[in-house]
Amino acid sequence: MEQTVTFDLDLIQRYNKAGPRYTSYPTAVEFNENFTAESYQQQVDLSNQRGGPLSLYFHLPFCDTVCFYCACNKIITKNRQHAVPYLNNLHKEIALQAALFDSKRTVEQLHWGGGTPTFINHQQMRELMAVTRQHFTLADDNNGEFSIEIDPREADEKTIALLREIGFNRISLGVQDFNPFVQKAVNRIQSETETLAVVDAARANNFRSISLDLIYGLPHQTPRSFSQTLDKVIHGANPDRLSIFNYAHMPERFKVQRQMNKDELPTPEVKLEILHQSIDQLTSAGYVYIGMDHFAKPDDELAVAQHNGKLYRNFQGYSTRSECDLIGLGVTSIGRIADSYSQNQRTIDDYANSLKHNELAIYQGITLNADDKIRRAVITQLICHFTLDIRTIEEELNINFATYFADAYPQLDQFSRDGLICHDTNEIKVLASGQLLIRNICMAFDFYSQQKAKHLFSSVI
Ligand SMILES: C[S@@+](CC[C@H](N)C(=O)[O-])C[C@H]1O[C@@H](n2cnc3c(N)ncnc32)[C@H](O)[C@@H]1O
Ligand code: SF4
């Protein structure tokens, strides 16, 4: 970002409201129980007619200890036996889902997320991948993007070698912060040595992309302390990608977050300073700021896809595979098939109960209407590319942009006056300050968020 970024208190207060992260549009709060297994089947039929490659997401929810900031769908347990019935159900679900899809369709993208996927043992990892390969055709190593989230406290060199052997070629590691005070305050004690050992093992095993997760906005963090963590990350780990997540503080929804002292959290002003400084530090070190939370080296697929106008957003953040329909497997998983999103049962008992009856575990979802598809195209374009070519979008969507989005124009004019965007009849261009507030800009095009944002989403700053 070359332009100067300046925020005064008034701007921060005005824009620091709750908003979605747009990993889908409509967002998950719009999913409803009218969407059933039958609705899913209709969308699968449509998807098979359209064809194209597939993407698989597996949710492995277990974690050994809880991190106080965590907003993921997880189950905390020391009892490793809990994974056994869960994995048996997952194997069953793989077979049920695979039977619905045209067997000629190749899986080009596969992801194990959590929770902590490496909670399960090596034998269980082998079996899960073997069952997947038994039912789906996976692309070869050069053409497939097969990724896994790793907690470095739960993986050693042998685990990393095994994961490469069974087919993974991309890895992301949860780090969050190297500072010992921050680690103590969030109950995640993880030494630099153990993190770097996993990074080295991933390199030695030829993982194609190594990504690290950090979070800003945690207790005790300051611009200086976070800059020190970043320095260690850049020089010690030298990852291909970095996610610098904006800490989502929603203690009403995630009770464990109440374990942290609210007074020790950085203010929105400090958070913005940390973000701005991180962008400067990482771009000086040769990374490209992709957008909302994500950075990548210029030759990494994400940066290349953005450069070529081919970036897409999905539940794992940014993605290069817009053409894949996504099958969600496991408790709480979200899928995106044809013109729909669907989510699996949200408790492990309900999930098990569906599979006991040999039924899909679909709990809720949504079929997109024509307006949803138009708004999704606009929001995706803005969040992935920070620019909207109005003429192209009018042709693609068969609309008159100014008429269709007349309601959004007063907000766009305000964003212009505040230096977040510039716009004319041909283009909306998001400026440097606006890139940090891209969620606010997208909300101007979001039919649903205007009324609902407050209780359901985290603050955008
Ligand atoms: C499922 S975890 C990654 C795998 C593994 N469980 C771990 O923690 O290493 C996904 C990532 O979500 C991010 N995360 C979790 N809770 C968050 C929150 N409240 N706000 C922002 N990011 C969060 C963390 O950076 C974490 O690494
Ligand atoms: S951050 Fe990762 S390890 Fe920590 S509780 Fe959340 S999912 Fe589990």
Side-chain angles (χ1 to χ4, degrees):
M1 288 200 301
E2 313 87 36
Q3 312 116 358
T4 335
V5 179
T6 41
F7 286 105
D8 58 27
L9 251 183
D10 170 57
L11 259 192
I12 291 177
Q13 278 163 2
R14 208 140 30 89
Y15 285 105
N16 190 24
K17 53 182 181 176
R21 294 167 40 78
Y22 294 111
T23 51
S24 69
Y25 181 83
T27 61
V29 295
E30 303 309 326
F31 298 179
N32 59 72
E33 291 176 45
N34 295 331
F35 189 95
T36 59
E38 288 74 46
S39 327
Y40 186 77
Q41 178 67 61
Q42 283 166 12
Q43 293 296 320
V44 172
D45 293 344
L46 193 56
S47 166
N48 281 332
Q49 280 163 30
R50 292 179 186 168
L54 295 171
S55 177
L56 304 180
Y57 172 79
F58 295 83
H59 194 69
L60 295 154
F62 305 103
C63 297
D64 181 84
T65 53
V66 72
C67 310
F68 293 156
Y69 55 80
C70 185
C72 302
N73 287 313
K74 77 246 168 234
I75 295 167
I76 308 295
T77 176
K78 297 247 178 251
N79 184 352
R80 304 271 156 166
Q81 283 307 312
H82 280 156
V84 175
Y86 182 74
L87 288 168
N88 286 337
N89 285 325
L90 199 50
H91 297 166
K92 232 173 167 180
E93 192 189 9
I94 293 170
L96 283 176
Q97 284 279 8
L100 303 178
F101 287 86
D102 181 346
S103 58
K104 288 198 268 316
R105 299 176 73 181
T106 318
V107 173
E108 288 195 352
Q109 198 175 40
L110 174 150
H111 185 84
W112 287 8
T116 301
T118 44
F119 179 95
I120 65 175
N121 68 34
H122 289 188
Q123 185 51 31
Q124 291 167 330
M125 290 175 189
R126 274 186 201 285
E127 265 175 32
L128 180 53
M129 195 56 114
V131 172
T132 306
R133 287 181 188 280
Q134 196 186 321
H135 292 279
F136 286 99
T137 309
L138 268 54
D140 64 29
D141 191 54
N142 285 325
N143 295 309
E145 210 178 282
F146 305 129
S147 54
I148 177 166
E149 294 168 15
I150 302 272
D151 179 344
R153 300 169 303 171
E154 287 278 355
D156 59 16
E157 287 163 30
K158 286 201 183 108
T159 316
I160 303 302
L162 171 100
L163 291 171
R164 187 72 184 97
E165 183 199 320
I166 62 176
F168 288 100
N169 52 24
R170 282 158 183 75
I171 206 163
S172 72
L173 310 184
V175 176
Q176 328 311 347
D177 196 320
F178 278 142
N179 185 291
F181 294 110
V182 178
Q183 289 196 355
K184 187 154 187 284
V186 302
N187 195 40
R188 185 175 176 124
I189 313 293
Q190 178 178 323
S191 75
E192 284 164 51
T193 318
E194 61 190 333
T195 301
L196 296 181
V198 174
V199 171
D200 289 345
R203 288 240 155 75
N205 284 284
N206 294 319
F207 272 85
R208 210 158 295 142
S209 170
I210 301 174
S211 179
L212 260 52
D213 293 349
L214 302 181
I215 304 181
Y216 73 97
L218 295 177
H220 300 302
Q221 282 178 337
T222 63
R224 193 175 133 78
S225 78
F226 199 70
S227 152
Q228 286 166 344
T229 288
L230 271 186
D231 216 40
K232 289 176 182 169
V233 163
I234 295 165
H235 296 109
N238 188 24
D240 305 287
R241 287 182 199 174
L242 267 166
S243 302
I244 317 264
F245 291 117
N246 178 355
Y247 169 50
H249 187 60
M250 294 186 282
E252 304 79 32
R253 241 178 99 187
F254 304 104
K255 291 199 176 57
V256 68
Q257 296 184 340
R258 297 179 201 165
Q259 303 272 347
M260 295 185 293
N261 187 346
K262 206 168 125 257
D263 301 332
E264 291 169 359
L265 295 174
T267 60
E269 293 87 317
V270 172
K271 280 183 78 177
L272 260 185
E273 204 185 322
I274 297 179
L275 175 60
H276 186 204
Q277 181 201 272
S278 303
I279 293 172
D280 283 350
Q281 195 172 348
L282 286 165
T283 44
S284 305
Y287 288 88
V288 178
Y289 178 53
I290 301 288
M292 258 188 78
D293 311 330
H294 287 73
F295 296 82
K297 290 201 172 155
D299 56 352
D300 185 272
E301 286 161 325
L302 275 193
V304 174
Q306 188 176 48
H307 186 78
N308 296 334
K310 299 256 181 267
L311 198 61
Y312 190 69
R313 201 158 161 79
N314 70 9
F315 297 103
Q316 280 91 59
Y318 289 98
S319 162
T320 55
R321 309 285 166 121
S322 58
E323 70 284 15
C324 290
D325 270 352
L326 168 70
I327 305 174
L329 298 135
V331 64
T332 71
S333 284
I334 296 178
R336 175 190 186 272
I337 301 294
D339 296 333
S340 73
Y341 294 108
S342 51
Q343 182 171 33
N344 268 354
Q345 295 287 358
R346 292 192 291 189
T347 71
I348 204 157
D349 288 343
D350 290 337
Y351 173 74
N353 196 36
S354 299
L355 287 151
K356 191 170 137 193
H357 296 96
N358 282 318
E359 286 166 5
L360 292 178
I362 309 278
Y363 159 66
Q364 60 172 3
I366 189 167
T367 303
L368 276 71
N369 61 31
D371 177 65
D372 293 333
K373 286 190 241 173
I374 289 172
R375 289 172 189 275
R376 176 168 72 178
V378 170
I379 289 173
T380 304
Q381 185 63 23
L382 282 170
I383 211 161
C384 292
H385 298 289
F386 292 134
T387 164
L388 189 79
D389 181 336
I390 292 178
R391 296 281 163 258
T392 310
I393 211 104
E394 283 183 324
E395 269 171 36
E396 274 172 22
L397 304 176
N398 197 20
I399 53 166
N400 176 303
F401 192 84
T403 316
Y404 199 91
F405 289 110
D407 286 356
Y409 270 86
Q411 287 180 75
L412 295 182
D413 291 337
Q414 183 64 47
F415 296 150
S416 275
R417 285 194 291 278
D418 290 336
L420 306 187
I421 63 168
C422 54
H423 71 101
D424 57 25
T425 45
N426 293 319
E427 192 190 38
I428 298 175
K429 195 167 169 37
V430 182
L431 304 174
S433 313
Q435 294 188 6
L436 305 186
L437 297 173
I438 188 67
R439 294 207 240 178
N440 299 70
I441 296 167
C442 291
M443 279 162 82
F445 296 99
D446 180 338
F447 171 79
Y448 306 96
S449 79
Q450 310 284 345
Q451 315 98 15
K452 291 195 175 172
K454 235 174 154 187
H455 304 293
L456 299 165
F457 303 114
S458 58
S459 292
V460 299
I461 300 177

